Amino acid sequence: MTFTDTAELPEAASAPLSRKDHILRAARLCFSRSGFHRASMSEICAEAKMSPGALYRYYPSKDAIIEAIAEEERLAASACLAQLAAPGPIARRITDVALTYLAQARDPETGNLMVEICSESLRNTAVGERFQAIEAEVRQRFQVVLEEARSRGEIAADLDLDLALTFLMGMGDGLVMRLRLEPERPAETLRPYLHRMIASLLGADPA
Amino acid sequence: MTFTDTAELPEAASAPLSRKDHILRAARLCFSRSGFHRASMSEICAEAKMSPGALYRYYPSKDAIIEAIAEEERLAASACLAQLAAPGPIARRITDVALTYLAQARDPETGNLMVEICSESLRNTAVGERFQAIEAEVRQRFQVVLEEARSRGEIAADLDLDLALTFLMGMGDGLVMRLRLEPERPAETLRPYLHRMIASLLGADPA
């Protein structure tokens, strides 16, 4: 899962990008284009239009850059998940989080980076493990919210939470991929069906 | 989407693998490990334990091998989709196809190959386009079945078929990925929730 929409960074921050942000943005572009392994520090330098000497002052290694991107993802995920704590029915709160996530993951860099991260996770590389740790945090946040909803009687008492989480995470991954393949479809059009399926999965009132 | 479970080939065919099958199997392993672009003909020769001269007699290029794998995928997809024509409620038939597909996609080579294919599709490479053509066929088969079900009044009259297909394909992709990350979970345990969500998506009787 990736949460940061690099394409929106300039709008979000009206101040010019810091040198570190500038480097991370160039690195995301290189990783999404060439993959974590193939992208080299010299490719990142070229993309950032910086000399190796200048770039290495901010990030001493490719691993340090990947770690910084993972930290950005962790913070973005956390911000996105804050919607889980909003008032309202559980299925709607989860749908809201999902749609924010899907909207953020539309841009090519983030979408391609997500596929790269999946590939790393499936191959159990160090990079994959780093991002799986973030995903474990996301899953944990959803689990707490589902447990609370179950204890309130808002979702089915016999719901297998672990399995339900597998479905929610799987739908998230799959829909990010689909929306990248169907760029003309506005993410918001998914809302009614997504909401209905989540309510049905959880055995929740579809209100 | 990938449909061929290479790990099951030896059991399925008690006769020894043909030379061509043997080469394709080695190539799948190389592609799943190194990606379509990085895997070289010499890597495939080494994996197949064949000399370049011997291997080139069967497949004159890497493209020819990729084309043969795509054709295997097309045939496997077609066999898997035959379950759509079985009798019974639409949601159950689609669930059956999905579970067969998920069970086939469990082995590491097929799962990793799927991520490679996604990556190629998102980057619009020739390989990606070849596999997207297969996916378009799969989507078309589902569409016909959904149209029939709608004309029989078995699913919601106002269902947006195109959007429903996006959800079905997206769930397929996402769950394949999840099951690769959770290898200890039997695919069959997904059946009740998957069936419920598909019925809810389609506005079909969950019977």
Side-chain angles (χ1 to χ4, degrees):
Chain A
M1 298 177 105
T2 64
F3 284 87
T4 308
D5 184 353
T6 52
E8 286 186 2
L9 279 178
E11 286 83 58
S14 56
L17 288 174
S18 78
R19 295 286 265 181
K20 285 192 139 187
D21 288 341
H22 173 75
I23 294 168
L24 294 186
R25 208 168 154 195
R28 280 174 177 270
L29 194 61
C30 294
F31 292 143
S32 81
R33 191 168 54 209
S34 313
F36 288 111
H37 293 294
R38 273 167 297 165
S40 63
M41 282 298 260
S42 62
E43 186 183 338
I44 297 170
C45 287
E47 183 64 45
K49 297 190 174 59
M50 286 171 78
S51 71
L55 192 137
Y56 277 79
R57 247 180 306 180
Y58 295 95
Y59 294 105
S61 66
K62 197 164 88 171
D63 280 350
I65 294 179
I66 292 172
E67 180 54 39
I69 290 176
E71 185 56 20
E72 283 186 326
E73 290 299 315
R74 201 184 64 78
L75 292 173
S78 203
C80 186
L81 289 167
Q83 289 175 281
L84 280 179
I90 178 87
R92 204 180 66 206
R93 283 183 282 147
I94 293 178
T95 304
D96 285 341
V97 170
L99 283 167
T100 302
Y101 170 56
L102 290 174
Q104 286 177 346
R106 293 231 61 159
D107 80 299
E109 275 118 76
T110 302
N112 289 3
L113 206 57
M114 195 204 81
V115 176
E116 280 301 319
I117 290 170
C118 286
S119 168
E120 297 287 320
S121 296
L122 292 185
R123 293 196 172 102
N124 288 316
T125 64
V127 173
E129 278 172 26
R130 181 65 184 82
F131 284 95
Q132 278 198 270
I134 297 175
E135 185 159 294
E137 270 187 60
V138 171
R139 192 173 173 123
Q140 177 61 25
R141 291 274 288 271
F142 274 111
Q143 178 159 349
V144 168
V145 169
L146 289 181
E147 276 167 0
E148 286 167 1
R150 193 168 61 178
S151 70
R152 278 195 310 272
E154 198 186 341
I155 60 178
D158 63 351
L159 184 72
D160 179 335
L161 285 194
D162 206 43
L163 190 50
L165 288 165
T166 292
F167 271 96
L168 290 175
M169 308 289 276
M171 280 180 77
D173 292 341
L175 290 175
V176 164
M177 197 93 78
R178 283 292 124 188
L179 287 184
R180 281 279 299 114
L181 291 170
E182 302 174 27
E184 72 296 340
R185 185 189 292 289
E188 195 57 31
T189 60
L190 272 60
R191 183 182 289 276
Y193 292 2
L194 188 60
H195 180 261
R196 192 156 89 193
M197 289 174 85
I198 291 172
S200 151
L201 170 69
L202 302 180
D205 189 340
Chain B
M1 296 179 107
T2 65
F3 284 87
T4 308
D5 183 351
T6 52
E8 286 185 2
L9 280 178
E11 287 81 59
S14 55
L17 288 174
S18 79
R19 294 287 264 183
K20 284 191 139 186
D21 287 341
H22 173 74
I23 294 167
L24 294 186
R25 209 166 156 198
R28 279 174 179 269
L29 194 61
C30 294
F31 291 143
S32 81
R33 192 169 52 207
S34 312
F36 287 111
H37 293 294
R38 273 167 297 164
S40 63
M41 281 298 259
S42 62
E43 186 182 339
I44 297 170
C45 288
E47 183 65 43
K49 297 190 175 58
M50 286 171 79
S51 71
L55 192 140
Y56 277 79
R57 248 181 305 179
Y58 295 95
Y59 294 105
S61 66
K62 197 165 89 173
D63 280 349
I65 294 179
I66 291 172
E67 180 53 41
I69 290 177
E71 185 56 21
E72 284 186 327
E73 291 298 317
R74 202 184 63 77
L75 292 172
S78 203
C80 186
L81 289 167
Q83 290 174 280
L84 280 179
I90 179 86
R92 205 182 61 207
R93 284 183 281 147
I94 294 177
T95 304
D96 285 341
V97 170
L99 283 168
T100 302
Y101 170 55
L102 290 174
Q104 285 177 348
R106 295 234 54 166
D107 79 299
E109 276 117 74
T110 302
N112 288 4
L113 206 57
M114 195 203 81
V115 177
E116 282 300 320
I117 290 171
C118 286
S119 168
E120 297 287 320
S121 297
L122 292 185
R123 293 194 174 104
N124 288 317
T125 64
V127 173
E129 279 172 26
R130 180 65 185 81
F131 283 95
Q132 278 198 269
I134 297 176
E135 184 158 294
E137 270 187 59
V138 171
R139 192 174 173 123
Q140 177 60 25
R141 291 273 288 272
F142 274 111
Q143 180 161 348
V144 168
V145 169
L146 289 182
E147 277 166 0
E148 286 167 1
R150 194 171 58 179
S151 69
R152 277 196 311 273
E154 198 187 342
I155 60 178
D158 62 352
L159 184 72
D160 179 335
L161 285 194
D162 206 44
L163 189 50
L165 288 165
T166 292
F167 271 96
L168 289 175
M169 307 289 277
M171 279 180 79
D173 293 341
L175 290 174
V176 163
M177 197 92 79
R178 280 294 124 187
L179 288 183
R180 281 279 298 117
L181 291 170
E182 302 175 26
E184 72 297 338
R185 186 188 292 287
E188 194 57 31
T189 58
L190 270 61
R191 182 181 289 276
Y193 291 3
L194 188 59
H195 181 262
R196 192 156 89 192
M197 288 174 87
I198 290 172
S200 150
L201 170 69
L202 303 179
D205 189 339

XYZ file of all heavy atoms in Angstrom, chain A residues 122-187:
520
model
N 6.431 -9.830 -1.813
C 6.294 -11.242 -2.175
C 7.650 -11.930 -2.202
O 7.750 -13.119 -1.964
C 5.624 -11.382 -3.540
C 4.148 -10.952 -3.601
C 3.570 -11.260 -4.967
C 3.335 -11.651 -2.527
N 8.702 -11.163 -2.490
C 10.046 -11.763 -2.562
C 10.761 -11.699 -1.213
O 11.915 -12.097 -1.105
C 10.878 -11.052 -3.632
C 10.349 -11.299 -5.031
C 11.369 -10.937 -6.096
N 10.894 -11.358 -7.398
C 10.358 -10.550 -8.317
N 10.236 -9.275 -8.070
N 9.941 -11.031 -9.462
N 10.067 -11.163 -0.190
C 10.643 -11.098 1.159
C 11.986 -10.395 1.211
O 12.900 -10.829 1.912
C 10.802 -12.507 1.749
C 9.465 -13.093 2.105
O 8.628 -12.410 2.680
N 9.247 -14.343 1.758
N 12.118 -9.309 0.476
C 13.352 -8.537 0.557
C 13.287 -7.614 1.768
O 12.233 -7.449 2.380
C 13.531 -7.678 -0.699
O 12.460 -6.732 -0.738
C 13.493 -8.524 -1.974
N 14.417 -6.988 2.085
C 14.459 -6.049 3.220
C 13.490 -4.898 2.975
O 12.787 -4.460 3.886
C 15.884 -5.526 3.405
N 13.441 -4.400 1.731
C 12.503 -3.321 1.398
C 11.070 -3.793 1.617
O 10.244 -3.098 2.223
C 12.701 -2.862 -0.065
C 11.624 -1.858 -0.462
C 14.081 -2.259 -0.261
N 10.770 -4.993 1.139
C 9.425 -5.545 1.308
C 9.053 -5.647 2.776
O 7.943 -5.302 3.176
N 10.010 -6.085 3.604
C 9.722 -6.237 5.033
C 9.459 -4.885 5.684
O 8.608 -4.777 6.564
C 10.876 -6.961 5.736
C 10.762 -8.468 5.546
C 11.990 -9.218 6.051
O 12.681 -8.709 6.959
O 12.255 -10.309 5.525
N 10.185 -3.861 5.237
C 9.978 -2.522 5.794
C 8.549 -2.044 5.526
O 7.889 -1.501 6.408
C 11.018 -1.566 5.188
C 10.920 -0.143 5.705
C 11.248 -0.092 7.191
N 11.070 1.257 7.744
C 9.907 1.770 8.122
N 8.802 1.046 8.015
N 9.848 2.983 8.631
N 8.087 -2.249 4.281
C 6.738 -1.800 3.937
C 5.669 -2.715 4.542
O 4.580 -2.266 4.873
C 6.584 -1.669 2.421
C 7.242 -0.434 1.870
C 8.530 -0.460 1.363
C 6.583 0.790 1.908
C 9.151 0.691 0.881
C 7.183 1.954 1.429
C 8.473 1.898 0.914
N 5.999 -3.988 4.710
C 5.032 -4.882 5.367
C 4.814 -4.480 6.822
O 3.732 -4.692 7.364
C 5.505 -6.338 5.266
C 5.147 -6.938 3.909
C 5.195 -8.448 3.911
O 6.228 -9.045 3.639
N 4.089 -9.082 4.233
N 5.830 -3.901 7.437
C 5.663 -3.440 8.822
C 4.638 -2.303 8.877
O 3.812 -2.234 9.788
C 7.007 -2.974 9.384
N 4.662 -1.417 7.858
C 3.667 -0.339 7.797
C 2.285 -0.941 7.594
O 1.311 -0.561 8.242
C 3.995 0.633 6.642
C 5.339 1.315 6.895
C 2.867 1.666 6.483
C 5.799 2.201 5.764
N 2.218 -1.916 6.696
C 0.930 -2.542 6.430
C 0.379 -3.240 7.681
O -0.822 -3.214 7.939
C 1.094 -3.540 5.301
C -0.243 -4.092 4.943
C -0.258 -4.671 3.571
O -0.108 -3.912 2.609
O -0.421 -5.887 3.473
N 1.276 -3.830 8.455
C 0.836 -4.476 9.694
C 0.223 -3.442 10.643
O -0.765 -3.727 11.331
C 2.009 -5.198 10.361
N 0.797 -2.239 10.663
C 0.233 -1.151 11.485
C -1.159 -0.771 11.010
O -2.069 -0.556 11.805
C 1.104 0.104 11.360
C 2.222 0.220 12.371
C 2.909 1.598 12.252
O 2.243 2.634 12.439
O 4.105 1.587 11.943
N -1.316 -0.667 9.671
C -2.618 -0.307 9.096
C -3.657 -1.369 9.472
O -4.756 -1.061 9.929
C -2.509 -0.180 7.556
C -3.887 -0.025 6.927
C -1.598 0.993 7.171
N -3.259 -2.621 9.297
C -4.163 -3.722 9.616
C -4.569 -3.688 11.086
O -5.733 -3.918 11.430
C -3.464 -5.052 9.261
C -4.391 -6.250 9.270
C -3.681 -7.511 8.754
N -4.538 -8.661 8.940
C -4.932 -9.475 7.963
N -4.531 -9.285 6.739
N -5.729 -10.490 8.227
N -3.591 -3.382 11.923
C -3.841 -3.316 13.364
C -4.862 -2.214 13.692
O -5.763 -2.422 14.504
C -2.496 -3.066 14.071
C -2.576 -2.889 15.575
C -3.138 -4.114 16.290
O -3.043 -5.221 15.778
N -3.750 -3.908 17.450
N -4.740 -1.063 13.019
C -5.685 0.044 13.255
C -7.099 -0.379 12.859
O -8.074 -0.097 13.563
C -5.285 1.280 12.443
C -4.005 1.957 12.888
C -4.241 2.970 14.002
N -4.909 4.181 13.557
C -4.285 5.262 13.089
N -2.974 5.277 12.999
N -4.967 6.330 12.729
N -7.214 -1.041 11.701
C -8.530 -1.530 11.273
C -9.072 -2.569 12.266
O -10.255 -2.581 12.584
C -8.440 -2.187 9.878
C -8.567 -1.216 8.748
C -7.483 -0.931 7.925
C -9.779 -0.594 8.475
C -7.596 -0.033 6.868
C -9.904 0.301 7.419
C -8.805 0.581 6.612
N -8.181 -3.408 12.757
C -8.621 -4.470 13.663
C -9.222 -3.899 14.944
O -10.291 -4.350 15.398
C -7.438 -5.387 13.999
C -7.847 -6.493 14.980
C -6.906 -7.675 14.952
O -6.056 -7.781 14.067
N -7.057 -8.560 15.915
N -8.567 -2.886 15.490
C -9.059 -2.270 16.725
C -10.472 -1.705 16.494
O -11.381 -1.909 17.309
C -8.098 -1.153 17.202
C -8.726 -0.303 18.292
C -6.783 -1.770 17.682
N -10.650 -1.026 15.361
C -11.950 -0.420 15.051
C -13.021 -1.506 14.862
O -14.162 -1.350 15.321
C -11.812 0.471 13.793
C -13.165 0.897 13.273
C -10.958 1.688 14.122
N -12.636 -2.608 14.206
C -13.605 -3.698 14.019
C -13.950 -4.363 15.348
O -15.111 -4.727 15.590
C -13.059 -4.741 13.033
C -12.977 -4.320 11.565
C -12.452 -5.469 10.708
C -14.348 -3.869 11.035
N -12.958 -4.510 16.213
C -13.227 -5.120 17.525
C -14.196 -4.260 18.326
O -15.123 -4.774 18.968
C -11.916 -5.312 18.309
C -11.198 -6.599 17.927
C -9.761 -6.655 18.434
O -9.313 -5.697 19.095
O -9.085 -7.663 18.140
N -13.979 -2.943 18.283
C -14.891 -2.030 18.993
C -16.306 -2.147 18.421
O -17.280 -2.225 19.176
C -14.400 -0.584 18.848
C -13.175 -0.257 19.692
C -12.508 1.071 19.298
O -13.027 1.736 18.363
O -11.495 1.404 19.915
N -16.401 -2.178 17.079
C -17.722 -2.269 16.447
C -18.406 -3.586 16.806
O -19.615 -3.632 17.025
C -17.578 -2.139 14.928
N -17.620 -4.653 16.888
C -18.202 -5.949 17.233
C -18.684 -5.943 18.675
O -19.755 -6.468 18.981
C -17.182 -7.067 17.005
C -17.820 -8.439 17.036
C -16.885 -9.516 16.540
N -15.686 -9.604 17.366
C -14.719 -10.497 17.170
N -14.822 -11.380 16.186
N -13.674 -10.521 17.935
N -17.900 -5.309 19.565
C -18.313 -5.297 20.975
C -19.554 -4.426 21.173
O -20.318 -4.627 22.124
C -17.155 -4.845 21.868
O -16.911 -3.478 21.664
N -19.772 -3.447 20.292
C -20.991 -2.622 20.353
C -22.168 -3.306 19.680
O -23.279 -2.773 19.647
C -20.771 -1.291 19.600
C -20.064 -0.202 20.358
C -20.251 1.138 19.663
N -19.952 1.089 18.229
C -18.748 1.275 17.700
N -17.714 1.507 18.468
N -18.579 1.206 16.387
N -21.919 -4.463 19.021
C -22.990 -5.156 18.300
C -23.301 -4.518 16.954
O -24.349 -4.757 16.366
N -22.363 -3.707 16.449
C -22.631 -3.023 15.181
C -22.358 -3.915 13.975
O -22.884 -3.671 12.882
C -21.766 -1.742 15.101
C -22.285 -0.765 14.067
C -21.374 0.443 13.857
O -20.536 0.739 14.723
O -21.522 1.068 12.783
N -21.510 -4.910 14.151
C -21.240 -5.866 13.060
C -21.506 -7.278 13.567
O -21.715 -7.482 14.772
C -19.789 -5.739 12.535
C -18.769 -6.013 13.655
C -19.548 -4.350 11.941
C -17.319 -5.954 13.191
N -21.509 -8.244 12.651
C -21.870 -9.622 13.006
C -21.007 -10.149 14.155
O -19.786 -9.991 14.149
C -21.710 -10.523 11.781
N -21.648 -10.764 15.145
C -20.943 -11.261 16.333
C -19.975 -12.385 15.960
O -18.938 -12.564 16.603
C -21.953 -11.754 17.363
N -20.313 -13.138 14.913
C -19.459 -14.281 14.548
C -18.479 -13.931 13.421
O -17.910 -14.826 12.804
C -20.330 -15.473 14.139
C -21.167 -15.156 12.899
O -21.194 -13.975 12.470
O -21.787 -16.090 12.359
N -18.272 -12.638 13.165
C -17.358 -12.249 12.083
C -15.931 -12.708 12.404
O -15.431 -12.477 13.502
C -17.376 -10.723 11.912
C -16.518 -10.201 10.746
C -17.166 -10.525 9.405
C -16.282 -8.701 10.872
N -15.301 -13.360 11.437
C -13.886 -13.740 11.560
C -13.074 -12.498 11.191
O -12.893 -12.169 10.028
C -13.604 -14.901 10.597
C -12.141 -15.354 10.641
O -11.264 -14.546 11.010
O -11.887 -16.515 10.285
N -12.612 -11.775 12.230
C -11.970 -10.471 11.998
C -10.749 -10.594 11.103
O -10.508 -9.756 10.235
C -11.531 -9.853 13.328
C -12.618 -9.253 14.207
C -11.990 -8.389 15.304
C -13.586 -8.422 13.388
N -9.978 -11.651 11.325
C -8.755 -11.817 10.572
C -9.057 -11.976 9.081
O -8.429 -11.360 8.227
C -8.036 -13.055 11.113
C -6.553 -12.973 10.876
O -5.985 -11.884 11.087
O -5.980 -13.990 10.440
N -10.061 -12.791 8.798
C -10.465 -13.017 7.408
C -11.058 -11.738 6.806
O -10.780 -11.378 5.664
C -11.471 -14.170 7.369
C -11.865 -14.732 6.016
C -10.658 -15.056 5.159
C -12.710 -16.000 6.212
N -11.871 -11.036 7.603
C -12.467 -9.785 7.112
C -11.375 -8.777 6.767
O -11.458 -8.074 5.752
C -13.420 -9.211 8.160
N -10.317 -8.728 7.579
C -9.208 -7.810 7.310
C -8.480 -8.196 6.025
O -8.072 -7.327 5.248
C -8.240 -7.800 8.499
C -8.779 -7.097 9.739
C -7.951 -7.436 10.980
C -8.782 -5.582 9.526
N -8.342 -9.504 5.800
C -7.728 -9.971 4.546
C -8.542 -9.485 3.352
O -7.987 -9.027 2.344
C -7.621 -11.510 4.558
O -6.662 -11.878 5.550
C -7.180 -12.063 3.211
N -9.860 -9.553 3.444
C -10.715 -9.066 2.353
C -10.571 -7.554 2.168
O -10.457 -7.068 1.042
C -12.179 -9.421 2.617
C -12.570 -10.758 2.071
C -12.563 -11.894 2.868
C -12.950 -10.897 0.738
C -12.911 -13.139 2.349
C -13.307 -12.126 0.220
C -13.287 -13.251 1.026
N -10.592 -6.813 3.272
C -10.496 -5.356 3.155
C -9.166 -4.941 2.532
O -9.128 -4.109 1.619
C -10.654 -4.701 4.538
C -12.058 -4.762 5.155
C -12.031 -4.181 6.568
C -13.070 -3.999 4.295
N -8.070 -5.530 3.003
C -6.748 -5.180 2.461
C -6.646 -5.624 1.002
O -6.089 -4.910 0.170
C -5.632 -5.842 3.281
C -5.685 -5.608 4.779
S -5.272 -3.910 5.292
C -3.497 -3.980 5.346
N -7.179 -6.790 0.709
C -7.126 -7.298 -0.666
C -7.918 -6.428 -1.623
O -7.470 -6.127 -2.735
N -9.098 -5.994 -1.196
C -9.886 -5.094 -2.047
C -9.139 -3.783 -2.277
O -9.162 -3.231 -3.375
C -11.246 -4.794 -1.413
C -12.248 -5.899 -1.617
S -13.830 -5.455 -0.849
C -14.497 -4.300 -2.039
N -8.490 -3.303 -1.219
C -7.714 -2.062 -1.357
C -6.637 -2.201 -2.423
O -6.559 -1.409 -3.365
N -5.819 -3.240 -2.305
C -4.747 -3.482 -3.284
C -5.317 -3.598 -4.698
O -4.829 -2.976 -5.637
C -4.041 -4.826 -3.016
C -3.239 -4.840 -1.741
O -2.922 -3.760 -1.228
O -2.925 -5.946 -1.267
N -6.338 -4.440 -4.826
C -6.872 -4.743 -6.155
C -7.504 -3.522 -6.809
O -7.342 -3.307 -8.017
N -8.204 -2.721 -6.019
C -8.869 -1.549 -6.611
C -7.872 -0.455 -6.979
O -8.066 0.251 -7.971
C -9.973 -1.022 -5.676
C -11.197 -1.965 -5.575
C -12.177 -1.439 -4.532
C -11.895 -2.148 -6.913
N -6.796 -0.325 -6.206
C -5.743 0.625 -6.605
C -5.232 0.262 -7.998
O -5.099 1.106 -8.883
C -4.566 0.601 -5.602
C -3.326 1.266 -6.195
C -4.957 1.304 -4.324
N -4.960 -1.027 -8.178
C -4.456 -1.528 -9.461
C -5.452 -1.259 -10.589
O -5.103 -0.788 -11.667
C -4.260 -3.033 -9.310
C -3.404 -3.646 -10.347
S -1.723 -3.681 -9.724
C -1.826 -5.090 -8.596
N -6.725 -1.579 -10.338
C -7.775 -1.376 -11.350
C -7.898 0.088 -11.749
O -8.049 0.416 -12.917
C -9.148 -1.805 -10.795
C -9.399 -3.261 -10.759
C -9.507 -3.834 -12.143
N -8.537 -4.898 -12.259
C -8.265 -5.513 -13.391
N -8.894 -5.205 -14.507
N -7.364 -6.454 -13.421
N -7.859 0.962 -10.745
C -8.035 2.379 -11.057
C -6.838 2.917 -11.842
O -6.979 3.845 -12.631
C -8.262 3.190 -9.773
C -9.633 2.989 -9.135
C -9.784 3.907 -7.925
C -10.763 3.256 -10.114
N -5.688 2.308 -11.658
C -4.531 2.699 -12.476
C -4.751 2.254 -13.921
O -4.366 2.941 -14.855
C -3.253 2.067 -11.914
C -2.695 2.779 -10.738
C -1.874 3.998 -11.137
N -0.744 3.628 -11.967
C -0.580 3.974 -13.244
N -1.471 4.727 -13.839
N 0.464 3.580 -13.916
N -5.386 1.086 -14.100
C -5.635 0.569 -15.450
C -6.821 1.263 -16.113
O -6.995 1.192 -17.322
C -5.883 -0.956 -15.406
C -4.674 -1.825 -15.050
C -5.102 -3.271 -14.804
C -3.607 -1.776 -16.146
N -7.692 1.893 -15.306
C -8.865 2.590 -15.843
C -8.816 4.049 -15.386
O -9.661 4.492 -14.607
C -10.157 1.922 -15.340
C -10.260 0.451 -15.693
C -11.480 -0.230 -15.065
O -12.489 0.443 -14.791
O -11.409 -1.447 -14.848
N -7.840 4.798 -15.892
C -7.612 6.157 -15.363
C -8.775 7.119 -15.598
O -8.875 8.142 -14.923
C -6.346 6.623 -16.099
C -6.195 5.727 -17.267
C -6.852 4.434 -16.916
N -9.660 6.767 -16.530
C -10.762 7.685 -16.827
C -11.904 7.580 -15.798
O -12.811 8.410 -15.792
C -11.278 7.448 -18.250
C -12.068 6.180 -18.470
C -11.268 4.900 -18.264
O -10.008 4.913 -18.308
O -11.898 3.849 -18.018
N -11.859 6.553 -14.941
C -12.964 6.373 -13.992
C -12.722 7.152 -12.701
O -11.740 6.886 -12.005
C -13.113 4.877 -13.671
C -14.325 4.582 -12.789
C -14.357 3.150 -12.293
N -14.579 2.155 -13.313
C -15.719 1.958 -13.954
N -16.741 2.721 -13.704
N -15.829 1.005 -14.860
N -13.603 8.092 -12.342
C -13.399 8.805 -11.070
C -13.561 7.848 -9.887
O -14.510 7.049 -9.852
C -14.518 9.863 -11.057
C -15.026 9.928 -12.462
C -14.798 8.576 -13.057
N -12.621 7.901 -8.941
C -12.649 6.989 -7.795
C -13.982 7.073 -7.056
O -14.510 6.070 -6.568
C -11.488 7.292 -6.850
